[in-house]
Amino acid sequence: MNTDLNADMGEGAGSDDALCDVVTSANICAGLHAGGPLEMARVLRMAAGKGVGLGAHPGFDDRANFGRTRMVLSVDEITDLITYQTGAMQAVAQASGLRLNHFKLHGALANMASEDATLARACYEAALGVVPDLKIMVLAATAQEAAVREMKAAWVGEIFADRTYNDDATLMDRALPGAVLHDASAAAERILTMLRAGAIIAKSGHQIPTKIDTICLHGDTAEALEMARALRAQLQAAGVTLARF
């Protein structure tokens, strides 16, 4: 089995440098839901120096709530929001001689796009309008995947190590008990089970067959580094090869 291991970075958690010694891809905050231009530039250069794949990670302009509040925007507004953030990161990367590899939505915008293929497509078309060769990282088996399949865009399917799932492959609301996992060993065993099954396993036990290309850890949690290290160790011990997609 082969898989990529990714984490969200540039959000001010303070663990980015150490995480880049563990993961193979970084989803770097595009400066609106957290972070900023200096943090973006620092993390881009640091991650690239450690051989980690670079991804743009835009969300809603919602710093007060870390991009986790749902907003209703028109298609034109969504296009402008994504164009601005992707373009900013592309410019910062190019100035350092670096190349963006992928694109992944953040927070409430990602959750909404996992339920609405039209919204997902608007986001992805805006990103590809700026950087045409980006790979789109999607929440596997959701409307995000339906959108990229319809677009015939290059994409990778993502599952989460530290989040639990509804039966339709969307993520359980963070406000619900058990939605966020904090035990690194248990999370690693759960991921191994999903990789072997080739399926997302919902909290109910329901299995959703899907292509799994990358596994995400949220870099802003207190356990992020411990979780990443434990997951990497247990995956490798089980014969899984970790490599950039």
Side-chain angles (χ1 to χ4, degrees), residues 7 13 15 19 162 217-230:
S15 58
L19 273 172
D162 53 2
L217 287 164
H218 282 99
D220 61 302
T221 63
E223 307 84 7
L225 185 55
E226 176 194 0
M227 186 87 75
R229 287 171 172 161

Side-chain angles (χ1 to χ4, degrees), residues 81-94:
L81 182 76
I82 298 301
T83 298
Y84 172 81
Q85 292 179 81
T86 308
M89 184 161 291
Q90 172 75 339
V92 172
Q94 284 184 333

Side-chain angles (χ1 to χ4, degrees), residues 4-136:
D4 173 79
L5 185 61
N6 78 79
D8 303 339
M9 299 187 190
E11 297 173 331
S15 58
D16 293 347
D17 290 24
L19 273 172
C20 276
D21 293 325
V22 181
V23 301
T24 51
S25 290
N27 319 307
I28 301 167
C29 176
L32 289 188
H33 70 269
L38 300 184
E39 182 74 351
M40 183 193 304
R42 185 191 72 80
V43 177
L44 277 166
R45 290 191 289 264
M46 180 270 297
K50 296 188 177 188
V52 173
L54 307 177
H57 190 43
F60 283 129
D61 186 3
D62 175 35
R63 188 172 295 267
N65 301 295
F66 199 63
R68 289 182 175 153
T69 299
R70 293 187 174 221
M71 298 180 175
V72 178
L73 300 178
S74 69
V75 170
D76 286 345
E77 289 170 328
I78 284 290
T79 298
D80 291 342
L81 182 76
I82 298 301
T83 298
Y84 172 81
Q85 292 179 81
T86 308
M89 184 161 291
Q90 172 75 339
V92 172
Q94 284 184 333
S96 295
L98 304 176
R99 184 184 185 90
L100 296 181
N101 180 57
H102 67 277
F103 173 94
K104 174 188 169 180
L105 293 171
H106 166 82
L109 181 55
N111 290 334
M112 291 170 67
S114 73
E115 302 160 3
D116 182 345
T118 300
L119 173 61
R121 181 162 186 154
C123 293
Y124 300 152
E125 287 179 341
L128 293 173
V130 179
V131 189
D133 60 352
L134 285 175
K135 298 179 184 70
I136 306 298

